Each structure stands twice: as structure tokens, then as C-alpha cells.
Amino acid sequence: MRAQADLFGVEDSQKRPSETTTRKPKVRGAPAPKGAVASPRKVQFLTIDEVMKRYAISQATVWRWVARNEHFPKPVKLSPGTSRWLEDQLIEFENRAQFGRDGRCPVASKKVSP
């Protein structure tokens, strides 16, 4: 009776291809081969709770910023009742915003005339 082949199509008595070859470990900072394309950064979606914690604000303030501040990123609607913010867009917003001494972002504050 012939031995049953595994998922790799190799009989149990033989070694898998990954077991027979050794690869050099990739070293960080090593130059990429010519013609290689850099892998894209993982897209990170944040919930409203994570946005609230990030800026130390309430849920109402998050939605106020969405409605009133043209620079604050709009959420991505994944499904009815499910909105998420792209972390990259929030980082860009943070880089453009001027933070006060207390660390809170004054994006929704009203301008007071002297």
C-alpha cells in the first residue's frame, strides 16, 4: 500500500521542501534587490473609542470635530452603524494641528476676538 501524500504532495517518508533548504535570514536595513517593490504599510482602522482615547475627548466631541472641522479626517463607513478612522489620516491631522500646552487639540474651539 502506498503512503498517503500530505498537503505538500510529498510522501511521509520524504522531507518537505521547507525542511531541506535553509534560507539566509533577512537583515533589517539591507538594500532591496533591484526592481523590488516595497511592501505597503498595513492599514490600521481605529474605532471611535480609540479616537476618543487618542485625543482625550468625548464621543460627542469626536462627532463635533467631524461636522465642524474641515481638517479633521472623516470616518470610513464600513457598514450601517460601523465607522472607523484611518490611522494614517489621523497622524497627518496631528502633524498639521497646533497643540496647546495641555496637550489637547484646539480644533473645535471658537476664536475669541480681542
Side-chain angles (χ1 to χ4, degrees), residues 8 10 15-23:
F8 294 98
V10 180
K15 289 190 174 189
R16 292 180 174 88
S18 62
E19 295 173 342
T20 59
T21 60
T22 57
R23 295 183 182 177

Side-chain angles (χ1 to χ4, degrees), residues 28-83:
R28 286 188 178 182
K34 289 183 180 181
V37 178
S39 61
R41 189 172 163 223
K42 182 180 174 185
V43 176
Q44 182 73 29
F45 288 98
L46 301 180
T47 64
I48 192 163
D49 290 334
E50 293 168 324
V51 174
M52 290 166 44
K53 288 177 187 175
R54 187 178 192 105
Y55 300 112
I57 57 175
S58 68
Q59 183 174 350
T61 302
V62 173
W63 290 115
R64 189 179 314 113
W65 288 5
V66 169
R68 296 183 186 171
N69 187 335
E70 63 190 40
H71 302 293
F72 191 74
K74 305 300 180 214
V76 177
K77 191 83 164 166
L78 298 179
S79 67
T82 305
S83 298

Side-chain angles (χ1 to χ4, degrees), residues 92-103:
E92 287 176 24
F93 167 74
E94 292 165 7
N95 291 335
R96 288 190 312 252
Q98 294 179 0
F99 287 88
R101 263 196 277 176
D102 60 356

